[in-house]
């Protein structure tokens, strides 16, 4: 799997419409009223990557397995959710399990679609969601702080350090700011990580505009882009309704449809690629007669770590990695031709895997 992404936002911003589109299903009820999504709906979609198709054409494997992304459609937040308003903590807890948050922001005007605050204001809406997530985190931090302070009074040095970090987190969250603003030393990271704070998660803003406002967007999506830039986040401008139309089209017709809109790729593709950038993810491939498969790793991962994505035994018993750059694999016309031209490399434990590497691992059982 590439990563898990939770789709959040206020009610009626287009979350469920987007979810239905990107999973080409009707798993989420896209009804025009708040709280129609009560349980998180989950859909898994392949990561768009033309490289795996090119490899498959050369190898002609029994099967092709792309990387996948799991999307969780989480019910709409409202002001006061952290205190139980709307569906309250029931769905806030679901966000804890995802790697990144896709925050869908309403950037379209439509009198037929109710806005919970009766007007379109992306900055206000973004702050409402941010505040609720921060307040939820504040409750988590305060509960842990109470316990840590008691242990620190008994002389526990580790708990004294925990108290110091928790107080810093509390001060930031009290101002409705994200916990990610609190920087800690690498050896202290576990103290923050164990809290599973919502506002530490990377955020990808999804500015949902009307069909006729693609690909440029509008003043509302410009606001979302500005906030995204200020937070060093990512922002993708889409139309959930257009994505729904794309999902209904045969694959052979989608390219012409996108061209007609002036788009190089669908909103889903741009959303996934933005998520990969946000999380610093990379892809390597394995290719053979049984299968061609894409695997997702983090930037900076070494060859043994990549091997461990396939099986933990591969990492434990790692000997070496036979590696071919994707461009060389394609240019030479396959693995054997690449070997014949001296383009196959043998890499050891310190090798940092590059995006697109085609790899075969040698290991001891």
């Amino acid at each position: 799997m590439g990563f898990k992404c939770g789709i959040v936002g206020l009610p009626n911003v287009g979350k469920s419409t987007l979810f239905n589109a990107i999973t080409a299903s009707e798993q989420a009820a896209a009804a025009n009223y708040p709280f129609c999504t009560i349980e998180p709906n989950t859909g898994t979609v392949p990561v768009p990557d033309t490289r795996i198709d090119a490899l498959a054409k050369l190898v002609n494997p029994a099967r092709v397995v792309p990387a996948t992304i799991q999307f969780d459609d989480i019910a709409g937040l409202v002001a006061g959710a952290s205190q139980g308003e709307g569906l309250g903590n029931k769905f806030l807890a679901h966000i804890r399990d995802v790697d990144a948050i896709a925050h869908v922001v309403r950037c379209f005007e439509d009198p037929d679609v109710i806005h919970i605050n009766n007007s379109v204001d992306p900055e206000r809406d973004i702050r409402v969601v941010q505040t609720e997530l921060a307040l939820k985190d504040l409750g988590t931090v305060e509960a842990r702080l109470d316990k840590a302070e008691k242990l620190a009074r008994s002389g526990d040095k580790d708990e004294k350090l925990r108290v110091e970090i928790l107080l810093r987190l509390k001060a930031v969250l009290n101002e409705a700011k994200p916990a990610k603003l609190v920087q800690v030393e690498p050896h202290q990271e576990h103290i923050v990580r164990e809290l599973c704070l919502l506002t530490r998660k990377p955020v990808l803003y999804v500015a949902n505009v009307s069909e006729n406002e693609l690909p440029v967007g509008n003043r509302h999506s410009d606001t979302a882009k500005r906030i995204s830039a200020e937070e060093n986040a990512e922002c993708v401008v889409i139309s959930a309704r257009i994505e729904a139309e794309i999902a209904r089209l045969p694959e052979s017709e989608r390219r012409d449809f996108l061209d007609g809109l002036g788009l190089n790729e669908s909103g889903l593709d741009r959303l996934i690629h933005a998520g990969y950038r946000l999380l610093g993810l990379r892809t390597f491939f394995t290719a053979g007669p049984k299968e061609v498969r894409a695997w997702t790793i983090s930037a900076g991962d070494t060859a043994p770590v990549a091997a461990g994505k396939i099986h933990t035994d591969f990492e434990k018993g790692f000997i070496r990695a036979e590696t071919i750059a994707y461009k060389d694999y394609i240019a030479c016309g396959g693995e054997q031709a690449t070997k014949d031209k001296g383009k196959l490399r043998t890499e050891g434990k310190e090798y940092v895997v590059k995006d697109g590497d085609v790899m075969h691992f040698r290991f001891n059982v």
Side-chain angles (χ1 to χ4, degrees):
M1 180 179 293
F3 61 94
K4 291 175 65 176
C5 186
I7 305 176
V8 304
L10 295 178
N12 291 353
V13 297
K15 294 186 304 83
S16 295
T17 301
L18 175 62
F19 178 82
N20 288 339
I22 63 180
T23 58
S25 73
E26 296 298 327
Q27 293 183 53
N32 182 26
Y33 56 88
F35 319 129
C36 78
T37 308
I38 297 174
E39 294 295 337
N41 294 278
T42 299
T44 302
V45 294
V47 174
D49 195 329
T50 57
R51 295 175 299 182
I52 195 170
D53 298 324
L55 289 170
K57 286 180 181 179
L58 285 175
V59 177
N60 193 27
R63 65 173 184 164
V64 178
V65 185
T68 57
I69 302 297
Q70 178 177 308
F71 286 97
D72 290 344
D73 180 25
I74 299 168
L77 287 159
V78 294
S82 59
Q83 305 302 317
E85 292 295 326
L87 294 174
N89 295 339
K90 185 172 185 178
F91 58 85
L92 278 168
H94 294 308
I95 309 174
R96 296 195 186 283
D97 297 329
V98 302
D99 300 309
I101 293 173
H103 182 170
V104 182
V105 184
R106 178 167 173 173
C107 295
F108 64 89
E109 303 276 358
D110 188 339
D112 295 327
V113 179
I114 301 165
H115 191 294
I116 196 168
N117 291 317
N118 299 316
S119 63
V120 177
D121 185 338
E123 184 155 13
R124 176 203 60 204
D125 294 352
I126 287 172
R127 301 311 178 203
V128 167
V129 172
Q130 288 178 336
T131 297
E132 292 309 314
L133 297 182
L135 289 173
K136 179 62 177 174
D137 282 348
L138 180 61
T140 300
V141 168
E142 288 179 334
R144 186 64 182 88
L145 179 60
D146 183 58
K147 179 181 178 181
E149 286 177 330
K150 291 177 182 177
L151 293 172
R153 284 194 289 270
S154 68
D156 189 315
K157 293 183 179 179
D158 289 339
E159 290 302 316
K160 286 182 179 179
L161 173 61
R162 182 172 274 105
V163 167
E164 177 189 328
I165 293 173
L166 289 170
L167 285 172
R168 291 168 57 198
L169 288 166
K170 180 180 177 180
V172 168
L173 293 167
N174 256 325
E175 297 181 4
K177 294 179 179 178
K180 68 182 70 172
L181 295 178
V182 176
Q183 301 296 316
V184 296
E185 299 295 328
H187 68 280
Q188 301 169 340
E189 180 64 32
H190 69 281
I191 295 174
V192 180
R193 188 169 55 246
E194 68 186 13
L195 297 169
C196 298
L197 298 177
L198 307 177
T199 59
R200 290 269 293 178
K201 295 183 182 296
V203 176
L204 167 61
Y205 291 104
V206 182
N208 186 17
V209 301
S210 299
E211 303 95 303
N212 60 356
E213 294 173 325
L214 288 175
V216 178
N218 56 30
R219 62 187 179 89
H220 296 312
S221 61
D222 288 344
T223 297
K225 289 178 183 178
R226 172 179 57 78
I227 293 172
S228 173
E230 292 170 355
E231 298 177 1
N232 292 318
E234 289 276 347
C235 184
V236 176
V237 177
I238 69 160
S239 167
R241 289 183 177 177
I242 288 294
E243 293 304 307
E245 290 187 42
I246 293 172
R248 290 192 292 266
L249 288 173
E251 192 71 35
S252 59
E253 297 178 16
R254 293 182 182 182
R255 181 68 266 159
D256 288 341
F257 183 80
L258 290 170
D259 288 342
L261 294 170
L263 298 172
N264 293 323
E265 54 186 351
S266 71
L268 171 59
D269 290 0
R270 287 183 284 118
L271 178 59
I272 292 174
H273 292 152
Y276 264 63
R277 290 194 301 271
L278 184 68
L279 295 173
L281 301 179
R282 303 289 184 268
T283 302
F284 77 92
F285 302 96
T286 51
K290 290 185 178 180
E291 72 171 24
V292 168
R293 182 186 287 255
W295 303 86
T296 301
I297 56 173
S298 297
D301 280 351
T302 59
V305 173
K309 296 291 181 179
I310 300 174
H311 198 287
T312 53
D313 287 347
F314 286 24
E315 182 174 5
K316 292 176 183 177
F318 179 88
I319 299 174
R320 65 181 182 275
E322 296 174 354
T323 306
I324 304 170
Y326 168 78
K327 288 183 178 180
D328 290 336
Y329 197 105
I330 298 300
C332 294
E335 182 175 337
Q336 188 57 52
T338 306
K339 289 180 181 179
D340 294 342
K341 295 182 180 180
K343 296 292 186 178
L344 183 145
R345 311 185 312 275
T346 299
E347 304 288 0
K349 292 182 177 180
E350 303 303 317
Y351 176 68
V352 175
V353 179
K354 295 180 175 58
D355 189 55
D357 277 349
V358 182
M359 309 187 77
H360 179 73
F361 299 102
R362 301 294 182 183
F363 64 99
N364 286 318
V365 179

